[in-house]
Amino acid sequence: MLATGMLAGMAALLVGTYGMPPGYWTDLLQASAKAGVVGGLADWFAVTALFRHPLGIPIPHTAIVPNQKERLGRALGRFVSSHVFTEAELRRVIGRLDLARILQRFLADPAAMRPAAAALAGSLPKLVASLEDGRARKLLARLLPRIVSGPAGARLVARVLRAFVASGRHQEVFSLAIGQLKVLLTAREEALRTAIAARIRAEGGAVIGWLAGARVANRVLAAVNAELEKVEPEDSDLRAAFAEWLGHEIERLETDPERAAAIGRVLREALAHPSVAAWLMDVWGRLRAALVADAARPDGRTVALLSGVLANAGTLLAEDPAARERLNQAVERVLMTLLPSAQSQLSDFIAGVVGNWDAKSAADKIELRVGADLQYVRINGTLVGFLAGGALFAVLHAVFGRVAG
């Protein structure tokens, strides 16, 4: 309104000069007003032509923004991605933010960290469900035998056995084996006695078998039971021999490549067996069901475990500046790797948004942002035209003595 009012005022001044007394100052004012009107009209036309057809007349190369909004969107997208969202700017922002410190403060706040742990636990069922894909099962079935059949499999077995021995559980296994053997001997005592007596008859004849078969069988079984009764953790030579043998086998697994390869073959063959595969799938199903059920509980072990992990991570970041620096550098490397793709996507996104605008809406949005400054172009054009016209009239009059109206 100000720019248009100034243009109208300049036109009124021009008309008014024709009613003034003739003379130098009237001519100067009239020439200035003419130039002001011309300058104001020219800049009005230029500003209006950016956003619409002046007076609705479809003059070529007018309504530039509506007609060129796709090209404008692409240019704007390229400008933002190439000159705003740059590697240097991104590094500067990351360095100022200190993302590791922000994460550490978040993890140090139990009120914020507990919901995060619950959210992570809530996402576990979806992650577990994704593992149920048939391709994932087939891949696992192919990879697991290969993993355990290598040196890593033997080392894992050795590590498990060492932990087993260190905790004394190997003696429990030995006791269980001895107990089962005693139960088996008790259940099969008559069949064993008959078998021993038959063996004696076969080797010594019918007379020897009749005279000593039953007696020898009873003594053999009694001796075996007596030896089994003597097996105790404190003073049993058999237990000591078992522990020594187990330690020797663990050492061979760790140092003997042939032994490790043999264990790997056994594990691979075992895992390839259909029964073992079915058993593993059953174990996985039970573990999955237990995990899903526990993850859904706010007071479950999964949430507590994840809370502990997050709290430990926060403590580490708080106490170890090197860890914070490594995290910041890792984040920066990841973002720098993703930057080219992000720049391209940002450019395409901006171009798509601008390109999808309605032509009139695009003109209105852009005019709303820069229109005020453009109106000052019109105001300045009117004022500069007025001053330039007056100056030109004065110079020409001084040089030539008369200026054509």
Side-chain angles (χ1 to χ4, degrees), residues 24-324:
Y24 175 81
W25 295 109
T26 299
D27 293 341
L28 176 65
L29 184 60
Q30 188 178 87
S32 298
K34 287 180 179 179
V37 170
V38 172
L41 285 173
D43 285 337
W44 167 81
F45 182 89
V47 171
T48 304
L50 286 173
F51 306 104
R52 61 188 62 84
H53 296 299
L55 302 177
I57 303 172
I59 303 171
H61 304 294
T62 59
I64 295 173
V65 170
N67 291 333
Q68 301 294 330
K69 61 186 179 68
E70 287 83 5
R71 189 174 67 179
L72 176 64
R74 291 194 298 269
L76 180 61
R78 287 195 300 268
F79 175 80
V80 171
S81 63
S82 301
H83 297 87
V84 179
F85 197 59
T86 63
E87 180 176 333
E89 285 296 318
L90 191 58
R91 290 185 187 277
R92 185 177 62 82
V93 171
I94 294 173
R96 188 173 67 246
L97 286 179
D98 190 3
L99 296 176
R101 178 65 70 179
I102 294 174
L103 179 61
Q104 179 267 317
R105 290 173 181 170
F106 171 78
L107 295 177
D109 183 5
M113 183 262 295
R114 184 76 180 186
L120 288 174
S123 66
L124 286 179
K126 294 182 179 178
L127 177 62
V128 172
S130 67
L131 296 178
E132 287 297 289
D133 182 76
R135 290 172 296 180
R137 285 195 175 198
K138 292 178 181 178
L139 179 62
L140 183 62
R142 289 197 303 267
L143 290 181
L144 190 58
R146 296 181 183 180
I147 294 174
V148 301
S149 63
R155 287 195 297 268
L156 177 61
V157 172
R159 191 176 297 115
V160 171
L161 290 177
R162 280 200 181 279
F164 215 57
V165 172
S167 64
R169 295 294 181 87
H170 67 297
Q171 294 293 356
E172 296 180 12
V173 174
F174 189 79
S175 298
L176 178 62
I178 294 299
Q180 292 298 315
L181 181 59
K182 291 163 74 173
V183 171
L184 179 62
L185 287 175
T186 301
R188 303 279 297 173
E189 185 173 355
E190 287 299 326
L192 290 172
R193 184 180 291 109
T194 301
I196 293 172
R199 184 68 176 178
I200 293 174
R201 284 196 301 271
E203 295 292 335
V207 176
I208 298 298
W210 178 74
L211 292 175
R215 185 182 305 169
V216 171
N218 289 333
R219 288 184 177 181
V220 169
L221 293 175
V224 171
N225 287 323
E227 290 298 324
L228 292 177
E229 291 295 336
K230 292 179 182 179
V231 177
E232 296 295 337
E234 294 80 11
D235 56 5
S236 171
D237 293 337
L238 189 58
R239 285 182 180 274
F242 173 69
E244 182 179 355
W245 171 82
L246 193 56
H248 179 66
E249 286 298 317
I250 293 173
E251 185 176 354
R252 288 186 64 188
L253 283 174
E254 294 175 335
T255 58
D256 187 353
E258 294 184 1
R259 191 66 170 176
I263 291 295
R265 287 193 297 271
V266 172
L267 292 174
R268 184 172 62 253
E269 293 172 0
L271 290 174
H273 195 279
S275 299
V276 176
W279 175 75
L280 288 175
M281 288 299 104
D282 180 66
V283 171
W284 163 246
R286 293 174 185 271
L287 288 175
R288 181 200 61 214
L291 177 62
V292 170
D294 184 75
R297 295 170 48 202
D299 58 342
R301 293 183 179 180
T302 304
V303 175
L305 176 63
L306 290 174
S307 297
V309 170
L310 295 177
N312 290 339
T315 302
L316 175 64
L317 291 175
E319 299 176 353
D320 190 352
R324 292 197 300 272

Side-chain angles (χ1 to χ4, degrees), residues 2-4 6-7 36 38-48 50-51 370-385:
L2 176 61
T4 302
M6 184 173 290
L7 177 60
V38 172
L41 285 173
D43 285 337
W44 167 81
F45 182 89
V47 171
T48 304
L50 286 173
F51 306 104
V370 299
D373 293 329
L374 292 177
Q375 300 312 310
Y376 282 105
V377 172
R378 293 179 57 195
I379 293 172
N380 293 335
T382 303
L383 292 175
V384 170

